Amino acid sequence: LNGTGVGEFLGINKSDAVIEIAKENGQTASTILGGNLVSMAKRCWHYDDAIWIANPDTMPQLLAAASSTNIPALRPARNEDTAYECLARPIFFNEHLETLGTAGDILLINAAEYVEGIYKPLNTVESIHVRFIHDERAFRFSVRNAGAPWWSSPLTPKNGNATLSPFVRLATRA
């Protein structure tokens, strides 16, 4: 999510393809409104394949947020095998996102548009010498890979003015 791309994967938050959705007019600090979520959804490329990721601090705001039709934005999990849903898409809570009110506290992503490449396949090595006096074997596994968002910039659609991207985040609300 936050990698720099230097010696680690390039995170979604560092990508030039991210669209940042501004807060609503008159929106108070550290809040999430239904309008914010709808704005994010309409700018997400292939929303039907997207997932939401949010900091756990956002949960009370998401439970209170409603769209203009007064439909709850967040639907709690029905059982242990299902995720919470936000606007009919799965939402996962992750402590690695920014705290409530900060840009990146909630993301809407189409993970299929993030690519990982393996340029050195899995290598396994075994040694009976390293822990010989303890009657143990030692194993080493290594792989060389890299990952980054597939898109380098948002898409300008043929019809319409608003750009689309598989990576959308809510801006700071201060």
Side-chain angles (χ1 to χ4, degrees), residues 56-168:
D57 295 344
T58 64
M59 189 181 285
Q61 287 294 314
L62 290 169
L63 286 168
S67 66
S68 59
T69 59
N70 291 325
I71 298 170
L74 185 67
R75 187 170 106 189
R78 290 165 276 164
N79 57 48
E80 66 274 358
D81 295 331
T82 61
Y84 277 80
E85 288 183 354
C86 180
L87 299 181
R89 298 303 310 147
I91 183 168
F92 301 95
F93 295 96
N94 186 308
E95 72 275 7
H96 296 287
L97 274 74
E98 299 297 326
T99 191
L100 179 64
T102 310
D105 58 351
I106 184 166
L107 299 172
L108 178 59
I109 66 168
N110 184 336
E113 298 303 314
Y114 190 92
V115 293
E116 177 189 7
I118 298 173
Y119 54 92
K120 183 180 173 190
L122 180 65
N123 181 29
T124 60
V125 180
E126 168 185 3
S127 173
I128 60 170
H129 306 291
V130 175
R131 303 275 299 174
F132 177 76
I133 68 171
H134 298 286
D135 246 358
E136 296 177 357
R137 288 184 177 182
F139 298 91
R140 183 180 67 204
F141 303 93
S142 63
V143 65
R144 297 290 307 263
N145 57 358
W150 186 255
W151 293 37
S152 59
S153 64
L155 169 73
T156 303
K158 179 179 178 183
N159 299 313
N161 298 328
T163 56
L164 301 172
S165 175
F167 314 111
V168 183

